[in-house]
Amino acid sequence: MPQAVKKNAEDRMDKAIGALKRDLTSLRAGRATPSLLDRIQVEYYGAMTPVNQLANLTTPDSRTLLIQPWDKSSMSSIEKAIMKSDLGLTPSNDGIVIRIVIPALTEERRTDLVKMTKKFGEEAKVAIRNIRRDANDEIKKLEKAGISEDESRKHQEDIQKFTDKFVAEVEKVLAAKEKEIMEV
């Protein structure tokens, strides 16, 4: 039973790392990529819908994003959602497609992106620590149900090792993204 608790905690921590990586792909590092718009939600017929479910997203070159809505009536909603986002992008609409030209990053914008990266990293660390707390609580319940105190302590130490490993992974992912952002 304690093995299942540890396995579940490890799987959940791995998913937290995956969520961090997915969040970091939406931060712009000077190149156009459709994943920049992953966090953009558009109000479409009263429901918040991801932009990639309303349009075809392409990158004709390294500095341009092209959004081709399937329903032309959603163009203004997509434009408004992009302008309201924290990405700092300005879309231009020609009636058929929406173009977003990705400007070169300034030093100030790079430092802002690094701060956002660190914020995402801190959220991932908090999620990992919450998973550790939940797993330790489960182990303590099992201790009351019949496993020995020594065995409980051993399992909690194993959970702490997982936690340390995944926190180090978060640091590694953040360092790589920071290096990518600060690259000129």
Side-chain angles (χ1 to χ4, degrees):
M1 191 69 130
Q3 303 299 4
V5 171
K6 291 192 303 189
K7 178 69 174 144
N8 181 34
E10 189 174 15
D11 290 344
R12 288 176 57 201
M13 288 179 188
D14 194 41
K15 288 178 184 175
I17 297 290
L20 171 66
K21 288 177 180 176
R22 196 172 44 255
D23 286 344
L24 291 179
T25 60
S26 67
L27 289 180
R28 143 172 100 94
R31 291 183 300 276
T33 174
S35 64
L36 285 175
L37 303 177
D38 282 350
R39 293 184 298 144
I40 304 288
Q41 296 283 318
V42 179
E43 186 172 340
Y44 185 67
Y45 290 109
M48 295 308 283
T49 309
V51 71
N52 62 1
Q53 293 181 9
L54 296 174
N56 188 23
L57 306 175
T58 56
T59 53
D61 60 55
S62 66
R63 295 256 183 228
T64 308
L65 262 174
L66 200 62
I67 304 168
Q68 192 168 14
W70 295 309
D71 179 6
K72 299 297 182 211
S73 65
S74 67
M75 285 186 100
S76 63
S77 300
I78 293 172
E79 263 189 303
K80 287 177 189 172
I82 292 169
M83 290 171 60
K84 285 182 185 176
S85 73
D86 61 353
L87 295 175
L89 301 173
T90 307
S92 65
N93 177 351
D94 67 3
I96 299 169
V97 296
I98 298 171
R99 291 182 202 288
I100 301 174
V101 177
I102 308 294
L105 291 175
T106 63
E107 189 65 30
E108 181 182 330
R109 183 66 181 147
R110 287 178 196 275
T111 56
D112 288 346
L113 288 173
V114 167
K115 286 178 187 174
M116 287 177 69
T117 301
K118 289 181 180 182
K119 184 184 100 174
F120 285 137
E122 202 53 46
E123 289 171 359
K125 289 178 189 177
V126 167
I128 289 170
R129 290 181 192 122
N130 286 339
I131 294 166
R132 175 190 62 193
R133 184 195 63 225
D134 294 345
N136 283 338
D137 290 346
E138 295 266 338
I139 295 292
K140 288 174 186 172
K141 286 179 187 174
L142 290 174
E143 183 180 343
K144 291 178 183 175
I147 66 171
S148 70
E149 197 174 313
D150 289 338
E151 193 176 350
S152 171
R153 187 173 315 279
K154 179 188 169 300
H155 292 302
Q156 288 179 30
E157 288 171 1
D158 290 346
I159 291 169
Q160 183 60 46
K161 287 177 187 171
F162 293 152
T163 303
D164 294 341
K165 179 180 95 171
F166 283 105
V167 167
E169 178 72 18
V170 167
E171 292 295 333
K172 191 171 94 176
V173 169
L174 290 178
K177 187 64 177 185
E178 246 181 84
K179 182 180 177 209
E180 177 186 339
I181 289 171
M182 295 310 281
E183 229 173 56
V184 177

